[in-house]
Each structure stands twice: as structure tokens, then as C-alpha cells.
Amino acid sequence: MESVRLSQFEDLPDELLLLICSYLNQIEVLICFSSLNIRLTKTITEYTKQIDFNRIPLKLINYFRNEIFPKICSDVQSIILHDDLESRSIGLEIFPNLESIHFLNKFSSKYLRNTKQIQIDLVPADLQNELMEKLFSSNEYSNLQSLSFISYHGSTFSNIKLAKLNQIQQLTITLKNNVDLFELLHLFSSIVQKLHIHILYNGPFKSLTSSLLTLTKLRYFHLKTTFEDAIKFNQLEKLINDSMSLLEYLSIETLTRDENYINGYKWEKCFEKLNQLKTFVCSIRYRCKVNEEIDDQDLIEEKLFKSFSTKFWLYQRKWFIHFYSTVLLITNDNCFVNSFQRNAYRKIFLFTNPYPYKNMDITVDINKMKSTITNYNDISMMYDQKNIYSNVRHLYFDGEHIPIQVKHFNELLHQFQLLTELKLDRLFIDSSLQSSDQIKLRYLNKLIIYHNYEKYPLDINFLDLTSMYNLRYIRIPQASLPHHRQIPKQLETLILTECRDHLFVHTLRYENLRILKLHLDYFDRLLENMGESILHLIKTIYNANQTLESLHLMCPGVNQSKVKIFEKRFNSNNNEYLTAHFDGKSLTIKRLEEFFRRSQS
């Protein structure tokens, strides 16, 4: 009798193995499959190219140092570093093929390397000028080709001297105002090929020289402005036509009161000299004052619609736009649901098809959206409308406290199937009609709830959290926190706002929780009696949760002297593997790596 060979896990085709991996996070994939055999190691190569250090739990960091990284070090091309650099300290020299370093929330020059790509999302103010001189002109970073330099208040070139420039081909940078824009363009006029500019503040729009500025290599230009009217349309038009005539890709994100930005005829004229332009994308938020006597929304929208429905837009370029308008609403203090008053301003949201950016802000009025595609006689374009929001990963929804039914909210979110981050602000779910519908967002990683209305705390049972296998971060008002059985088991970060009491026993049931942040409304009270209540809270939470790495007690406006006394007393006592640090805004209690080493031994 012939023996029958049983199928084994490694007999599965690569496609099925990768499908299984899609239900796991990167850390789980590396732990499960990186040390089994050569074939499986090759199959998961995509999971080894980029390593996010903060995704590695502190209890596993030693295992990764000794077991995982030595096996995959040659495959690692990119690393992401977060806040807690010290506790996850790893020598980057073990990665011989490293090409990209991304500092997500905290920067340390200790980890800078001469790589092809460097991304700094929060440039320290005291190091800004020094870093600009190093990265832009130092031989130490001669390999640098792509740089992202994001600072909270924007960069300026007025106080630095650059002897020469590195060959940076792609630059993403935040600038203070328009003067800094011209300084930057003059510096990189013969070098840069792709520019992503974010101007943070208003300022004088003027060139520093009367000579014509020409960017000979620039092919890709993205401009984002935060303040209204940072750049007038005619100023932008002149800059593009005079200095960027070889552009192939133009991207505009702006908040403006200049009506020309939502005039298709004006844009068409702007593009006349751009013979190489292949792609134009935009997201424009236009704000205008409402004159209640002569205001005609239909007339405004008809004018806009017509200007973007010419032969140029629909047939020559096939650039279609979507838009909707909203009147800002404010609630009457005496009545939350039924009585609203008109604000003095109207907003029009306009964007190209498909929406081109990762981040998107919307209001409830997006359901009233209109599109120029309806004027285009091609049925295939109609089918493409399912992909309007295929680029959106981070969505901010402002409900304006206007009641919305679960069914309608579900239909709205269903258009954003690839979301990884969802922020809900002033959301008011109409519970007058019962609904069994629950919203499922498979790829959601981060959920944030803002501005809970005290009289009507938001019940988030309309979200099927347990089906969201990638959800690892939740920020929510304490009153809206659902039963622990409705919280996904893989939750790693929980931030509770508007904490009215100090009963957090439910958080101890989250078996994978690593970070807990509590916004306490009564911190000064807890400092009484030598801080006994805070000490009890800390020990209760840590004693019951063996995976927790850090507890952040957010306390802005607290008596700092009292907190510093508590910090000093806490660190001087023998609190097992815990250390306290107060930074003026929060008291952070961290668990040392030695705790996890001892637990594993």
C-alpha cells in the first residue's frame, strides 16, 4: 500500500502565503516566517525591506537584535525611527544596504547616515540651521538625493550660508513664507527635479532679484499653502509661466479667498505656455462671505461647473473636477439638534478626479457633490467613479454636530475602503432610527474621535472594531470607550481624553496594549497627600498589564513644582523597572527594557 504524503504549510503557493501574511502585521510576519527556511524567507522579502522600529514591542526588541536582524539585515533598505529612540537603540551599521532613514516624531543626529533618502518629520528648532547647512551642502551627505525637511514653524534661508549644494534631486520642505520660496528656488534652480513645498504663513510675494528665474530641471512641482491668500492666483500664474515652463506635473493644495482659483477659464489660460504639462491635480478650498440678500448658491455653482466643462478640460486633457459647497454652521447654545444659525461664510471644496492626495478633509455636505464627468460621454469614465478616493489613506470628517444616520454614514465611508487613519470630529449619530449596520474598514490602523458633545456622548457601536484586524491605535473620549469585548485584541495604543474619573480597570484587559495616555481633568487633586492617588493609579495599571511600556498622564496647566517633586520622589524610591519623567505637559512613566528581559529569562 502506497503511503500518502500529507500536504504541509510550506507546500502552499506564494500567492496564498502572502494572502495569509496580509492578515498579520509586519512584526508577526517576521517572527513567524523569517527563520523557517530559504523559500519562506524569500517569499516575505517585501516585509523585510522597510523596518518600522516603533512597531517592535519592547519585550521583543532583544529577540530582534539577536535573531531576526542578523538574518534579514542585507534586505533592509529603509528604516523608520519614532519617539522612543533610546529604548530601541540598534546600531544601523548592521544594515549594509540601507538607502533611506525616516525620523517620524523625534530626531537624533546619532542615527543620521549618508543615505540616498532622508526624511525628518519634526526638525528640532535649535538644530534647524545646522541641519540645513549639513544636509544641503556638506560632503558628509554627498549621496543624498531625496530630502524631506519638515519643521513646525517652517524653514528660512536668511540665516544660513551654503558654500555649495549637494545634488538633491527631490526636496520636500516647509517654508515660513513666500520670500523663503524664492530663496529656495534660486538656490536649487539648476539642480532640483521634484519639489514639494508647504508654505505655512502669509508674507510678501516678491522675488529677491529682478533677473528671470528659470528652473531648468524642474519637472514636478507641488505647492501647498495653509493660510488664506498666501499666494494670489495671478502671482502663482506668473511664477509658473516665467520659471517653470518645462513642468510635466503640477499639484496645488490651497485654502483661498481668491475666486480665480475655482475658475476653469483662468487655469486654462495659465496652462497655455506649459507645453510639456501632462498632469494637473489640485485640492482647493475656497471661502467667500455670504451676502444673504443676493446670495445664489446655484448661480455660483453653475458658473464654476461651466468653466471646467470646456473642450479643453473634458476632451483635450480629460481632467475632471468634483466640487461641493457648504455653509459653516454654528449651534444654538439652547438647542443642540433642531436649531442652527447661518455663519457669514460659504466654503467650496474642489478637487480633480481621482482625489490626488493621501490626506483628505470632508464635511457632511460631500453627499451633495457634483462632477464635470457627467458632461463627458464615455461610459468607462462612469465606472471609474468607484475609484474617486482610491488615493485617500487619512480621512478627517467634520460632522458639524449635524445628525446623520448610520446607514448614510456607512454609505459615505464605504467610498474610502483603503483608509488607514480616520478622524471623526463633531460627529452626531442619529439614533432615532435603529440600524443593525456596522461599518467595517479592513485596513484601518488608527481611529481618532474629537470633540465629544458632553450631553450626548458618541456611542461608537456603529463601528465594527473587532473586524478591523489592523486597528492598533485609538484616541477617544472616555465616555465613548466601548466595552472591552468590542476592542480589537491587537490594540497597542490607547489615548483617553476628557477623563472624568480614574477608573481604568477596563484598560487592563487589553492584552497587547503598549502605550496608554490619559488626559486627566483632575490632576491637581491627585497630587494631594504626597501624590498617593497617582502612585496607586500607576501601580494598579502596571501590575495588571505585563505588556505596557509607557503610561502618559497628560496634565497641561498643572502645578509644575508639585509634579516635579512627585517625579523626584518616584525615581528615588524602588519602583520596579519604572522611571518617571515630567516635560511640563505630561508625566510619563516608562517601563525599562530590563523588565522584559527578566520576564523572558
Side-chain angles (χ1 to χ4, degrees):
M1 182 176 179
E2 295 184 5
S3 60
V4 178
R5 181 182 180 275
L6 297 176
S7 296
Q8 299 182 28
F9 178 78
E10 59 186 36
D11 293 327
L12 295 174
D14 286 354
E15 293 79 8
L16 193 52
L17 288 173
L18 291 173
L19 179 61
I20 294 171
C21 289
S22 69
Y23 288 90
L24 305 173
N25 65 45
Q26 180 190 28
I27 303 305
E28 292 166 340
V29 170
L30 293 177
I31 291 174
C32 293
F33 303 123
S34 64
S35 303
L36 295 181
N37 57 47
I38 296 176
R39 184 245 171 164
L40 285 174
T41 300
K42 288 184 177 179
T43 302
I44 64 166
T45 299
E46 287 301 314
Y47 289 87
T48 65
K49 289 183 178 180
Q50 184 182 77
I51 302 296
D52 186 341
F53 277 47
N54 205 55
R55 296 293 299 273
I56 306 172
L58 201 55
K59 65 180 180 180
L60 295 175
I61 194 69
N62 206 41
Y63 177 73
F64 267 75
R65 283 195 194 105
N66 299 328
E67 302 294 333
I68 303 294
F69 287 151
K71 293 182 175 67
I72 67 170
C73 59
S74 297
D75 296 327
V76 177
Q77 299 175 7
S78 173
I79 62 168
I80 302 175
L81 303 170
H82 287 249
D83 318 53
D84 202 1
L85 297 176
E86 291 76 17
S87 61
R88 287 168 176 78
S89 179
I90 295 176
L92 301 188
E93 61 275 358
I94 68 170
F95 305 116
N97 298 314
L98 193 62
E99 296 182 352
S100 172
I101 300 176
H102 182 181
F103 297 91
L104 194 59
N105 294 321
K106 187 175 181 180
F107 173 79
S108 172
S109 56
K110 172 183 175 183
Y111 294 97
L112 268 182
R113 296 291 184 277
N114 188 17
T115 54
K116 291 182 180 179
Q117 181 175 8
I118 295 175
Q119 186 171 343
I120 308 175
D121 285 359
L122 193 60
V123 177
D126 58 335
L127 295 177
Q128 184 165 302
N129 289 347
E130 178 186 343
L131 280 174
M132 289 176 72
E133 291 177 2
K134 278 187 177 181
L135 297 175
F136 286 138
S137 64
S138 170
N139 291 329
E140 189 178 352
Y141 301 98
S142 57
N143 292 332
L144 186 59
Q145 297 177 9
S146 176
L147 173 63
S148 180
F149 199 81
I150 310 299
S151 56
Y152 186 76
H153 293 293
S155 301
T156 181
F157 291 85
S158 57
N159 297 321
I160 65 170
K161 295 181 180 180
L162 303 177
K164 67 180 189 62
L165 292 173
N166 289 328
Q167 297 298 308
I168 298 175
Q169 299 171 7
Q170 179 173 333
L171 177 62
T172 300
I173 190 169
T174 51
L175 300 175
K176 284 187 180 296
N177 56 42
N178 297 315
V179 172
D180 298 306
L181 170 63
F182 278 101
E183 288 182 342
L184 182 142
L185 294 180
H186 277 282
L187 281 171
F188 292 92
S189 59
S190 62
I191 300 174
V192 69
Q193 299 175 15
K194 296 182 71 173
L195 263 180
H196 296 260
I197 304 293
H198 184 183
I199 299 177
L200 298 181
Y201 306 108
N202 285 347
F205 190 89
K206 59 180 181 180
S207 176
L208 299 182
T209 175
S210 58
S211 61
L212 186 64
L213 171 66
T214 304
L215 289 94
T216 56
K217 292 189 176 181
L218 187 66
R219 299 294 182 270
Y220 182 114
F221 183 58
H222 170 74
L223 177 65
K224 179 177 181 179
T225 60
T226 303
F227 273 66
E228 289 183 347
D229 305 325
I231 298 181
K232 294 286 188 180
F233 182 85
N234 63 341
Q235 296 168 337
L236 176 65
E237 180 182 17
K238 178 174 174 54
L239 173 65
I240 291 173
N241 282 300
D242 289 350
S243 305
M244 306 179 184
S245 59
L246 299 178
L247 272 184
E248 297 177 3
Y249 188 103
L250 176 62
S251 170
I252 303 294
E253 280 186 277
T254 189
L255 175 63
T256 183
R257 290 178 297 181
D258 185 346
E259 191 176 358
N260 291 322
Y261 273 96
I262 58 169
N263 187 325
Y265 302 127
K266 292 288 186 179
W267 281 111
E268 186 175 339
K269 182 177 180 295
C270 175
F271 299 147
E272 286 180 354
K273 296 182 181 179
L274 302 182
N275 298 323
Q276 307 298 320
L277 189 65
K278 298 176 182 177
T279 304
F280 169 68
V281 297
C282 71
S283 173
I284 297 167
R285 285 183 286 176
Y286 168 72
R287 187 170 72 101
C288 62
K289 196 167 185 178
V290 173
N291 186 328
E292 296 193 19
E293 296 181 359
I294 62 173
D295 180 51
D296 189 336
Q297 178 178 339
D298 292 336
L299 185 63
I300 295 173
E301 293 187 355
E302 182 182 349
K303 181 180 177 182
L304 184 159
F305 191 87
K306 186 177 180 181
S307 72
F308 284 97
S309 298
T310 63
K311 182 179 179 181
F312 171 85
W313 288 96
L314 299 183
Y315 296 100
Q316 293 180 13
R317 294 294 192 164
K318 295 184 180 180
W319 292 340
F320 308 102
I321 61 104
H322 305 274
F323 69 93
Y324 68 96
S325 63
T326 181
V327 174
L328 300 180
L329 299 175
I330 56 175
T331 58
N332 186 317
D333 292 337
N334 299 319
C335 185
F336 176 64
V337 178
N338 298 319
S339 177
F340 291 96
Q341 298 176 349
R342 170 176 282 198
N343 192 285
Y345 290 93
R346 176 189 308 284
K347 277 187 178 180
I348 294 178
F349 297 77
L350 180 148
F351 57 90
T352 47
N353 178 71
Y355 185 84
Y357 309 113
K358 181 187 293 185
N359 301 299
M360 186 177 188
D361 296 352
I362 63 172
T363 72
V364 291
D365 290 315
I366 195 172
N367 290 321
K368 304 173 185 175
M369 189 171 67
K370 299 178 182 179
S371 174
T372 56
I373 288 182
T374 56
N375 282 352
Y376 184 70
N377 299 320
D378 187 338
I379 194 169
S380 65
M381 290 302 300
M382 297 299 184
Y383 290 120
D384 282 346
Q385 293 317 289
K386 295 180 180 179
N387 299 317
I388 293 177
Y389 307 114
S390 58
N391 294 318
V392 180
R393 297 297 180 269
H394 303 161
L395 181 68
Y396 170 84
F397 175 81
D398 185 358
E400 300 178 337
H401 290 317
I402 299 175
I404 183 171
Q405 295 178 11
V406 171
K407 177 183 177 182
H408 295 153
F409 193 50
N410 197 351
E411 291 171 354
L412 189 155
L413 288 185
H414 188 71
Q415 302 174 73
F416 299 88
Q417 284 297 305
L418 298 178
L419 283 185
T420 60
E421 181 177 314
L422 175 62
K423 296 179 180 179
L424 303 176
D425 196 357
R426 300 193 293 174
L427 176 64
F428 184 70
I429 294 295
D430 182 3
S431 56
S432 60
L433 294 177
Q434 296 296 323
S435 175
S436 59
D437 293 339
Q438 278 193 305
I439 298 172
K440 297 177 172 63
L441 296 169
R442 175 185 171 187
Y443 300 102
L444 195 67
N445 177 263
K446 182 182 283 191
L447 172 65
I448 298 174
I449 311 288
Y450 291 122
H451 295 294
N452 200 15
Y453 194 74
E454 191 170 352
K455 294 181 181 178
Y456 305 93
L458 181 65
D459 183 348
I460 66 168
N461 287 328
F462 63 90
L463 294 171
D464 186 2
L465 299 181
T466 56
S467 71
M468 301 179 189
Y469 302 112
N470 292 292
L471 185 59
R472 289 176 166 79
Y473 179 109
I474 295 178
R475 183 189 191 273
I476 191 171
Q478 186 185 32
S480 297
L481 187 68
H483 191 276
H484 73 91
R485 292 177 182 173
Q486 297 170 269
I487 295 292
K489 292 183 178 180
Q490 72 276 7
L491 184 69
E492 295 180 350
T493 299
L494 175 63
I495 301 175
L496 295 180
T497 62
E498 304 171 31
C499 295
R500 303 285 190 262
D501 58 55
H502 57 276
L503 300 176
F504 303 106
V505 178
H506 47 279
T507 64
L508 310 180
R509 300 176 183 177
Y510 307 149
E511 56 192 59
N512 291 303
L513 191 66
R514 294 169 49 200
I515 299 171
L516 177 63
K517 292 186 180 182
L518 306 175
H519 290 254
L520 305 172
D521 290 349
Y522 47 85
F523 200 90
D524 276 315
R525 254 193 303 133
L526 296 177
L527 285 172
E528 296 173 358
N529 299 320
M530 308 291 286
E532 287 184 9
S533 296
I534 295 181
L535 188 60
H536 176 73
L537 176 64
I538 293 170
K539 289 190 174 182
T540 300
I541 291 176
Y542 268 110
N543 289 342
N545 192 315
Q546 301 301 299
T547 62
L548 195 67
E549 298 173 9
S550 62
L551 170 65
H552 304 259
L553 303 177
M554 313 304 291
C555 49
V558 75
N559 187 316
Q560 297 197 10
S561 298
K562 290 184 178 180
V563 183
K564 289 178 180 178
I565 292 173
F566 177 86
E567 172 194 11
K568 185 176 181 180
R569 186 184 302 117
F570 184 91
N571 289 330
S572 63
N573 294 333
N574 185 21
N575 295 298
E576 289 193 0
Y577 302 104
L578 297 176
T579 180
H581 174 67
F582 178 61
D583 62 4
K585 295 182 179 180
S586 69
L587 177 65
T588 300
I589 312 297
K590 287 189 177 181
R591 183 174 260 160
L592 301 177
E593 186 184 348
E594 284 78 7
F595 171 84
F596 298 105
R597 289 180 182 174
R598 194 192 75 166
S599 301
Q600 294 167 6
S601 61

